[in-house]
Amino acid sequence: MTVSAAVSLATGRRRSMPGLPLEQFWYAGASTPRLWWVRIAGHLTPRSVVFQNAVRTATGLALARLVAGSLDLSHGFWVLLGMLTLGRTTAGATWSAVRSATAGKLVGSLAAGALLVSAGDMTEVYAALLVPTMLVAFWVGPVGGPAWGQGLFTLVVSTAFAQIAPVTWQLAEARIVDVLTGSVIGLVCGVLAWPAGARGEMRRSAAALFHATAPLIRVTVDRAATGHSAPTTRADAAAALRRTRRYWRIAHASYAQLRTEPPPRHAPEGGPDWLAALNFSSRVLVGAYWLPWSQGTAWPSDAASWAWEATDEVVASTLRAAQFPADGVTVRLAPLPPGVLTRIPAPSVSHLVDVEVWLHALASDLTTAVGAGSRVEGGFW
């Protein structure tokens, strides 16, 4: 039903889906300005990698423009272009890109200088070489890396400028100076502003996400155990849902950037599984959307007591997991009381089983996310 509703909303066939929790598709009826505001406001924090990248890029461009104007560099826009193309999200990756690009520029500048000296003012030669040089540069450059990209682009720039006005081999020299200046500025920004990239932020955002989901787990089970359904009990979870969704978006952005960065050389084995942490939070949200809305009656006292004790264990384990202890976390879940499923009305049986399966799945995701030494003790009925 969730997939069907999502497809219907994406294709614009229906704006509302009867029977579905409104919180799951809260964005379906939201205006475009509100959606933009949610997206922007959610990342207005120094703990967001989107915010960090924006600050790093804006600072680098401002410094590049200041340096290019102050030093009156010829073709100063190359300084800004070099900062944009060679800047990375970590200081190490930026340094690696700058080293490769410098070697490529040197080789490309030598080739461009030789071409300019040998061809002189014969624009026909440059016109004939421009298109094939561009094809090779834009084909090989993105695949070969910064060295190939910068070297071949230097040839493209030289053949293009030579057709506009008379140039000398010093054009290649100017490009080296400008791009190296931009590279140094990007490297300085990378060292001074969040040099570790998303690695540190991934841990912090995952910890914040665990803290945000803990109260939502409790609210979800409390509603389900008391037999409350959607029409009267949405408001008590609204704040927890908004908080969880906000940290979920920040953590997803951190994970997406982390996957684009080179791994550390000496990564410890059995460390945290960040994808499992995101899966844990997604499972919490799905349960919060669906479990409390199921129609049912209040559970017997022993079933409700089991649910609250199991919830306390999962919530406590979630808060412990936010510290990512080196020895992992252990989640101890007791099985359902004997015979409880025979003493509750039929509509509530599947409801109770859904809650049990949900709590066990959360425990499994949690132990996987934290890493070595974690385990789940206890089983199903």
Side-chain angles (χ1 to χ4, degrees), residues 248 252 273-284 362 365:
W248 185 83
H252 263 263
D273 186 333
W274 304 122
L275 184 58
L278 297 179
N279 289 340
F280 170 84
S281 60
S282 297
R283 199 183 300 274
V284 171
L362 292 180
D365 286 343

Side-chain angles (χ1 to χ4, degrees), residues 143-168:
V143 178
W148 284 94
Q150 290 294 327
L152 291 171
F153 192 67
T154 300
L155 282 174
V156 171
V157 168
S158 300
T159 54
F161 274 60
Q163 298 177 65
I164 299 173
V167 295
T168 65

Side-chain angles (χ1 to χ4, degrees), residues 187-200:
L187 184 60
V188 170
C189 291
V191 170
L192 298 180
W194 301 285
R199 288 200 299 274

Side-chain angles (χ1 to χ4, degrees), residues 35-350:
L35 293 176
W36 275 108
W37 171 246
V38 169
R39 193 177 187 88
I40 294 172
H43 290 285
L44 285 179
T45 168
R47 296 275 68 92
S48 168
V49 294
V50 176
F51 178 87
Q52 294 174 9
N53 292 335
V55 171
R56 186 190 296 110
T57 303
T59 303
L61 288 175
L63 288 175
R65 178 64 184 88
L66 178 63
V67 170
S70 300
L71 300 181
D72 194 24
L73 297 175
S74 60
H75 307 291
F77 70 92
W78 282 339
V79 179
L80 281 75
L81 189 60
M83 185 271 154
L84 276 177
T85 55
L86 298 179
R88 300 293 187 267
T89 56
T90 68
T94 302
W95 172 238
S96 177
V98 168
R99 285 186 303 170
S100 298
T102 300
K105 281 194 298 289
L106 290 175
V107 174
S109 297
L110 289 175
L115 173 64
L116 294 174
V117 170
S118 59
D121 295 333
M122 293 187 295
T123 56
E124 297 82 0
V125 175
Y126 304 123
L129 291 176
L130 179 60
V131 173
T133 305
M134 291 179 65
L135 288 175
V136 173
F138 297 143
W139 174 48
V140 176
V143 178
W148 284 94
Q150 290 294 327
L152 291 171
F153 192 67
T154 300
L155 282 174
V156 171
V157 168
S158 300
T159 54
F161 274 60
Q163 298 177 65
I164 299 173
V167 295
T168 65
W169 62 270
Q170 292 176 324
L171 175 66
E173 176 190 16
R175 174 164 170 75
I176 292 179
V177 173
D178 290 348
V179 177
L180 279 180
T181 303
S183 302
V184 170
I185 292 173
L187 184 60
V188 170
C189 291
V191 170
L192 298 180
W194 301 285
R199 288 200 299 274
E201 293 306 329
M202 186 70 248
R203 178 178 289 269
R204 280 187 284 265
S205 60
L209 187 58
F210 283 156
H211 281 289
T213 55
L216 188 58
I217 297 171
R218 194 181 303 279
V219 170
T220 301
V221 176
D222 284 346
R223 288 197 205 166
T226 54
H228 291 162
S229 58
T232 58
T233 56
R234 281 194 174 120
D236 57 346
L241 279 170
R242 285 196 300 269
R243 179 179 170 83
T244 299
R245 283 197 297 255
R246 179 170 182 263
Y247 284 109
W248 185 83
R249 285 191 288 267
I250 291 175
H252 263 263
S254 298
Y255 182 75
Q257 178 174 312
L258 181 68
R259 298 297 295 175
T260 67
E261 296 174 351
R265 293 183 178 180
H266 304 289
E269 296 183 2
D273 186 333
W274 304 122
L275 184 58
L278 297 179
N279 289 340
F280 170 84
S281 60
S282 297
R283 199 183 300 274
V284 171
L285 285 171
V286 171
Y289 292 143
W290 281 98
L291 291 176
W293 314 140
S294 303
Q295 296 293 337
T297 59
W299 299 344
S301 58
D302 55 349
S305 296
W306 167 86
W308 289 322
E309 291 175 4
T311 301
D312 289 341
E313 175 65 18
V314 172
V315 169
S317 299
T318 302
L319 296 177
R320 290 197 304 271
Q323 306 301 321
F324 292 97
D327 56 348
V329 295
T330 300
V331 188
R332 297 178 175 87
L333 293 178
L336 281 172
V340 68
L341 296 179
T342 63
R343 292 184 280 107
I344 60 177
S348 296
V349 171
S350 61

